[in-house]
Amino acid sequence: MAAAAGGTAQGRGATSFQRKAADGSRLATVVGTRPSVRHGQLLLSSGLPSLDCVLEEDKYALYSNLLFKYFLAEGVVCGHDLFVASAKEHPDNILKELPAPLLDEQRNELGEEATAVKSEDFQDSMKIAWRYQNLPKIEASPTTSTKFGHYYDISKTMSPELFQSIKWHSFYLPEELSLQPTVKTCNMNSAYGRLLLSIQRVIYQEGFDGSDPQKKQKNILRIGIQNLGSLLWGDDICCSDTPEDIHSLTKFLYVLRGLLRKSLSACIITIPAHLIENKAIMERVTNLSDTVVGLESFIGSERETNPLYKDYHGLVHVRQIPRLNSLICDVSDTKDLAFRLKRKLFTIERLHLPPDLSDTVSRTSKQELAGSAKLLSSGCGAMAIGKKHLDF
Amino acid sequence: MMFSSLEGLVFLEGLKSCLDLLFGEQEEQLGQPSPLQFISTSDLKALFDFVQVSLTPASSDSWKGPVLLVDDLSVLLSLGATAVAVLDFIHYCRVVVCSQLKGNIVVLVHSNEDSEDEENELVVNSLCHHSDLILWVEGLVTGFCKDVHGQVMHWRAWRDVVQTYQYKIQDKNVTFFARGLSAAVL
């Protein structure tokens, strides 16, 4: 899964492929990236360069903004260039609120708590659910230091010194409109057109597309676009069933993808998908993007009080994973993911069903649980529930 | 998006060409409109002209049976073309490539069982009616499986028989096998 970085369980480091002594890396080394020998690409800690990740916002955009900030924070820590675009909040303010990276001492602190819990597990080997012992343990907390991917403390903001060394560009729509009242765009929403021109200019001028051979030190451009498709961008797909121009957003994404493929850059976009009435648009957006992740938060929904979900704050739906330079993608074994926001960390974990322990459980409640479990189609119990359905 | 012909590859890379169109120089080359100008004008004629010019052999060439590969047609709908325009485009291509040049066309479209994209479903249904061969690829009904990634249904117009195979995708190739005979099961 190539969701945004920051304490996620599925890092890209899960591959077991070991390359023998690299005979002088033929792939250009760029700070904060790691070459993927399987696909011949450079990997960023949240995915791949020239990658376009669409994040479907949760209802109040709380958690999607968090992931958005993680992506940018990772860029700052790795020394990448940033490009932040928003129509709602000034990019300066967004950057002021990036989470601080966890330093080594703090990481060990958290690590100790986690290992204390783990050693208990090891001592009593499982008696009833012994089959689960063989499942790989997912690292939900940072215990090993790694240069590829960092962990962030949400309770603190990033110190301004870290910004000194990086170059960042911003695009704040109200400012752009006042600076340049008219701009020629080919049959596309004018705000999107301006944004594309701005991105293209940065890519070209800073040489991210390799157009400047003099530039020795290659770098990555991380682009973050907030709240795309909302009314603030001049697009009415979020407030009308029959929007004026249903193609603007998809045209924008297509051209953006062209720009990203041509340069060393990665882009994360948050979209208020729950507001878009015309579902055809989201289907097309999904087909046009490399990665699409939907966040469903439990705030304000009936699931908030559902005992199944008491440990979590929301679900993660992975709708699309990238298949660049190969026929198949790195598919993780588990499809049911949930996220939770602890005091300092945001983590994404495999969704666990709590054990059904009560003796006096009545028939109806058992069926309710079974019904919800069927929806989850979790890896363990779904086979026993519902119709048996074999393909052959 | 790409187009190709046999023995000589003419490759139109949509992503790259649209950048040239939008951010390139103002003057058009030799008065020839870009094949992707439908992004601005919603008119697929320039694209068809490009196909026709590329696939029609010059008198010195001895090409036989050109193949037009379109990957993928659903993107044209996302870029502003109407369903009718897309179907007209394919119809014109069929006349040139299949009837006149005795070649073949292979088209990729996306579809979903519960899709709400009516324009796309219209294109898919129409293409199914006019095709000699349909390869329908989908995941397993029972959900994700590590060893069997999905199945392909293979339907020929004149035989009206559906054959189903299952497949597993590896890094650089795909293995096909009859249903129930995946390597993991045997």
Side-chain angles (χ1 to χ4, degrees), chain B residues 60-111:
Chain B
S60 54
D61 295 328
S62 58
W63 294 359
K64 292 226 171 60
V67 176
L68 172 65
L69 292 166
V70 183
D71 173 15
D72 78 62
L73 210 60
S74 305
V75 170
L76 291 182
L77 291 172
S78 300
L79 290 175
T82 60
V84 173
V86 171
L87 290 173
D88 283 345
F89 166 75
I90 285 292
H91 175 75
Y92 274 75
C93 287
R94 211 182 304 134
V95 168
V96 167
V97 175
C98 301
S99 307
Q100 288 176 4
L101 300 174
K102 307 285 182 254
N104 291 303
I105 304 184
V106 181
V107 171
L108 171 72
V109 277
H110 283 296
S111 181

Side-chain angles (χ1 to χ4, degrees), chain A residues 117-133:
Chain A
V117 168
K118 270 217 206 121
S119 55
E120 281 169 33
D121 287 345
F122 271 113
Q123 270 147 26
D124 8 278
S125 58
M126 304 190 188
K127 292 195 176 64
I128 297 174
W130 52 274
R131 273 291 179 201
Y132 290 127
Q133 209 154 352

